[in-house]
Amino acid sequence: MTAPRASLLTAALAILLAGVAAQEPAAAAQPAHFGRRPPAPRASCSCADPAPLPLANGSATVSAAASGTTPASWGRHRTPRACRAPRTAGAREFCGADIAVCADSLCCSQAGVCSADPDSCDGTCQCAWSGVGSACKGSYPFAKPRRLPTAPPGGVCGDYVAVCPDGQCCRHNWLITRRALAPDGFTRPVTVVNGAPFVTLAANVGDRIIITVLNGLTEPREALTIHWHGMLQLDTNIMDGVSTGTQRPVQPGETFTYNFIAYTAGTFWWHSHYSTQYVDGLWGALVILDPTRPQFEVDAVVTMNDWYHEPAAELTRYYLSPASGGNEPTPYTALLNGVGQGACEAGGATGCGYSYTRAIASSCASPKTRLRLVNAGSFAVFNVSIDAHRMLVIAEDGVEVDPVEVGSLQINNGQRYDVLPCQSAGAPLSMEPVWIRAVMLDRDFQSDSAWNQSLGVLYFTDTPPTTLPTTNATYLPPKLTPSAPPGPGVINPYSLRPLGNPTPPDATRRLEQVIDFYNEPRNATNATQYAHFNQIALSLKPEVPSLLERYSNNPLGIGPPSNPAVPPGGLGFHTVPVKRGEVIDIYIVNRDTGEHPLHLHGHWFTVMSFGAPDAGEAPSDIKLVPGIVRDTVTVARKSFIVLRYIANNPGMQIFHCHIDWHLAAGLGLIFEEGFPEETI
């Protein structure tokens, strides 16, 4: 008799739970990409498991100096484990560390895929590429990004130069389940990783990240995928984690292994990309460190997110019904580093706490602390400030910028800023703890949230203080905000400049996309309001093979979809074919009365022009000037923005609004990059 499905799932969960408890990695294969020709199969050793990042009072810390511990993922060394002979992989199959060696006449590319093209595995170029600049003469960093090559025998290796033969892997086993938690004083189911919410990952640039995910989401059953926001996934589009776009959703009881290389250092994050699932807590920071660069004495993560008391699936059903009138769910409160005070302040609950983040007291002339700010929310824009402190902005979305001093900054969904908190130069340094304030801006809320902020403690002693700060909010000018034109006391984030101020190549193609919201069927009453790019609301059905499977030369042998797009005025696939190497200007007109944070997968883009709120469409004589480079940008209400990107990363690259409710309503499209002439 066939075992009941519930029993099979219970057994699978028990097996992974045992593996998580043991934390014993599987034996690994010798990476096949050490040279242009694959070596013969041989016994080799696995990558070491990184030590877990310390979590203290909800504050995720990535600094050895701050925590007193050194996660194993920071070094370039690993402890040998038991060895085994690797299997042999064929063309387009995964290879490399812990996977397999390639068959004769094939080589393992830096993306970890067996290839017949020796150039994709070339180990002779010793160019450095960090995603910000390249040492290769005549190259533009976003036009021809250099994969980290494997050092040839006797060659130079190291971060930004080449992958060393003993390059490390960051291996994790994740069991995704739900757990009753009360991060703001109200108990509700939260989606967690190995029992913990909002897990922070850290690795070194050039490391291979291998994460095996087991879906334990039952009662109710729910599929999942994981997206690594800001990771370019060069030639590993299948690891991008877009439900139905790049992979089939992982069903309850199933596993999927994500395997990719962290090519660029910076502040990123990971989150579910299945429906609105990450609203329930399936997300965390992703920090890629560069050990060759000077480090700050303290390097810490500060996440913020809007928080709901109802499950995301329930909120989504309501939002996508005529009853909502197209009004997005209003969050109940906010969390800072996974901790909030909303239910205590507004609902009479007890037991609320605060997150604690350690810093070094320093002046703006010599800052010593780096804070990595991440807005992991689904709807709210946050205004962030630190009492009695200024912040030097040094990076956004993983791109280093010319430093700018601000008193507060606004950060939209999906965006990240690296800042250095500091006290005014010339004044005596204070060692008293201060409040970090993350305040939700309600300009797009239909109704007021119950408690619109979360507070965290920034302290300057070796141990957390026993008393709370007594400081008051001090919103020192200037403020960094896209919601107002530049002027006295206001800095627009589009005015930030990447280090070196690189100039993108001239555009070879112009695309125009119009954002609009209306009912489907159009003009119907008592109907659901959908979000559209050029009158098409993106609708990806999870039960069909992914678009990447349909186009790629894969073992499933599935051909191209019969109708990859629908005519304007409907729901369905919305795909835009793009040739590899095209330089594309995307002219976006926002006809909506709200702003939209727009995110492009697999790329950074350059902001070439933008309009202030209510500016209308782009003028006919618009002047395009290269500005900030990032992966998530805000288009203002009733306004426009022009983005330039280079199609150099073949795959299904989704472009969408990062307000999760809007993506669920269809505000996205997929660039078919390099298809059908090229496949990956």
Side-chain angles (χ1 to χ4, degrees):
M1 178 181 294
T2 303
R5 184 175 182 87
S7 299
L8 293 174
L9 179 57
T10 301
L13 296 181
I15 290 171
L16 188 68
L17 278 172
V20 169
Q23 284 294 298
E24 183 65 27
Q30 174 70 24
H33 54 269
F34 303 149
R36 295 188 55 167
R37 294 186 178 277
R42 52 183 163 177
S44 59
C45 301
S46 69
C47 299
D49 266 334
L53 289 173
L55 298 174
N57 297 317
S59 179
T61 303
V62 297
S63 170
S67 66
T69 63
T70 304
S73 61
W74 287 17
R76 305 301 301 179
H77 304 289
R78 57 189 176 89
T79 303
R81 302 271 184 163
C83 302
R84 70 175 183 181
R87 70 178 182 86
T88 300
R92 301 186 183 281
E93 292 185 344
F94 290 110
C95 57
D98 195 46
I99 304 295
V101 295
C102 295
D104 291 340
S105 77
L106 301 177
C107 62
C108 191
S109 71
Q110 294 303 314
V113 179
C114 289
S115 171
D117 178 12
D119 290 337
S120 66
C121 314
D122 194 344
T124 60
C125 174
Q126 295 298 315
C127 292
W129 180 68
S130 66
V132 175
S134 173
C136 298
K137 183 178 180 181
S139 69
Y140 174 71
F142 309 107
K144 298 179 180 179
R146 300 298 305 183
R147 280 69 167 172
L148 290 175
T150 300
V156 179
C157 61
D159 289 317
Y160 290 168
V161 180
V163 178
C164 296
D166 61 350
Q168 98 181 8
C169 297
C170 299
R171 172 185 295 283
H172 302 269
N173 291 324
W174 282 7
L175 171 61
I176 310 299
T177 57
R178 298 185 185 93
R179 180 183 174 191
L181 296 172
D184 73 323
F186 177 84
T187 301
R188 54 149 296 175
V190 179
T191 309
V192 295
V193 174
N194 297 340
F198 321 124
V199 171
T200 293
L201 291 176
N204 283 332
V205 67
D207 285 348
R208 180 179 291 276
I209 298 175
I210 303 174
I211 300 179
T212 298
V213 174
L214 171 58
N215 183 355
L217 297 177
T218 59
E219 299 179 3
R221 292 171 55 84
E222 189 174 30
L224 64 84
T225 63
I226 304 294
H227 170 58
W228 316 95
H229 189 120
M231 294 286 95
L232 299 180
Q233 298 293 354
L234 298 173
D235 296 334
T236 51
N237 185 232
I238 195 173
M239 297 298 168
D240 199 38
V242 178
S243 172
T244 313
T246 61
Q247 75 170 93
R248 303 185 190 197
V250 183
Q251 300 299 322
E254 294 180 349
T255 63
F256 185 88
T257 298
Y258 293 94
N259 186 320
F260 58 91
I261 292 176
Y263 284 111
T264 57
T267 302
F268 308 99
W269 66 302
W270 64 268
H271 60 83
S272 168
H273 216 294
Y274 178 83
S275 185
T276 55
Q277 188 176 66
Y278 87 75
V279 177
D280 288 334
L282 190 52
W283 58 263
L286 172 59
V287 177
I288 307 301
L289 302 166
D290 177 8
T292 69
R293 300 285 297 277
Q295 305 296 312
F296 293 93
E297 292 187 36
V298 171
D299 189 326
V301 169
V302 177
T303 64
M304 62 211 71
N305 66 292
D306 43 26
W307 191 242
Y308 296 82
H309 285 179
E310 302 81 13
E314 177 182 323
L315 294 171
T316 304
R317 284 192 295 270
Y318 175 77
Y319 175 56
L320 296 180
S321 73
S324 73
N327 294 317
E328 304 87 348
T330 298
Y332 185 89
T333 188
L335 305 180
L336 189 70
N337 274 339
V339 182
Q341 303 83 42
C344 293
E345 296 287 352
T350 59
C352 292
Y354 300 88
S355 65
Y356 287 75
T357 303
R358 181 175 177 265
I360 302 296
S362 56
S363 72
C364 293
S366 181
K368 294 179 172 59
T369 300
R370 180 187 198 132
L371 299 182
R372 302 173 183 267
L373 309 180
V374 180
N375 183 348
S378 58
F379 187 23
V381 181
F382 279 89
N383 191 83
V384 182
S385 64
I386 302 174
D387 291 356
H389 280 68
R390 296 182 181 274
M391 295 176 285
L392 294 176
V393 179
I394 62 170
E396 42 71 61
D397 291 2
V399 178
E400 294 181 336
V401 299
D402 293 328
V404 173
E405 184 177 310
V406 301
S408 65
L409 62 83
Q410 290 182 15
I411 177 171
N412 216 327
N413 299 281
Q415 293 183 329
R416 294 87 64 207
Y417 284 98
D418 290 22
V419 301
L420 312 180
C422 58
Q423 302 177 28
S424 297
L429 293 179
S430 172
M431 299 296 291
E432 294 299 315
V434 297
W435 290 117
I436 305 174
R437 301 177 185 269
V439 181
M440 295 189 297
L441 304 181
D442 60 2
R443 55 185 177 233
D444 289 332
F445 290 1
Q446 179 65 19
S447 58
D448 292 337
S449 59
W451 190 253
N452 73 337
Q453 63 180 305
S454 183
L455 301 178
V457 178
L458 188 70
Y459 66 96
F460 308 99
T461 51
D462 291 336
T463 58
T466 56
T467 59
L468 294 175
T470 58
T471 54
N472 297 316
T474 49
Y475 299 106
L476 302 172
K479 63 180 180 179
L480 186 74
T481 171
S483 62
V490 175
I491 297 177
N492 197 294
Y494 308 130
S495 65
L496 298 177
R497 291 293 180 268
L499 288 181
N501 200 22
T503 301
D506 294 337
T508 61
R509 183 179 178 186
R510 171 172 172 159
L511 294 175
E512 298 180 356
Q513 294 291 329
V514 176
I515 296 173
D516 212 346
F517 286 68
Y518 51 80
N519 289 353
E520 289 287 358
R522 194 161 190 174
N523 300 322
T525 58
N526 195 33
T528 296
Q529 185 179 99
Y530 286 92
H532 305 76
F533 271 124
N534 286 2
Q535 303 180 53
I536 302 176
L538 180 67
S539 177
L540 298 174
K541 302 299 183 183
E543 65 271 14
V544 302
S546 72
L547 290 179
L548 187 63
E549 285 179 322
R550 288 168 174 248
Y551 271 110
S552 299
N553 179 14
N554 63 83
L556 297 178
I558 299 172
S562 58
N563 59 335
V566 297
L571 309 176
F573 291 153
H574 186 180
T575 56
V576 178
V578 172
K579 293 181 179 180
R580 187 171 187 175
E582 285 188 312
V583 182
I584 300 172
D585 278 349
I586 311 175
Y587 285 70
I588 300 162
V589 175
N590 179 20
R591 292 179 179 169
D592 187 34
T593 55
E595 63 189 52
H596 297 278
L598 301 175
H599 172 51
L600 176 61
H601 287 218
H603 297 277
W604 283 305
F605 48 70
T606 301
V607 177
M608 302 298 296
S609 184
F610 65 93
D614 303 311
E617 298 188 9
S620 57
D621 59 347
I622 186 172
K623 184 178 181 181
L624 302 182
V625 178
I628 191 60
V629 175
R630 64 187 318 164
D631 61 44
T632 308
V633 73
T634 302
V635 58
R637 68 173 187 266
K638 295 286 186 179
S639 190
F640 71 92
I641 197 166
V642 181
L643 311 177
R644 180 172 297 177
Y645 90 97
I646 302 158
N648 59 0
N649 191 11
M652 294 293 176
Q653 307 294 2
I654 189 171
F655 177 62
H656 65 91
C657 177
H658 223 290
I659 293 175
D660 223 24
W661 313 114
H662 293 174
L663 178 56
L667 195 51
L669 60 86
I670 295 179
F671 291 113
E672 298 174 354
E673 194 167 314
F675 296 101
E677 301 88 358
E678 304 171 44
T679 57
I680 62 172

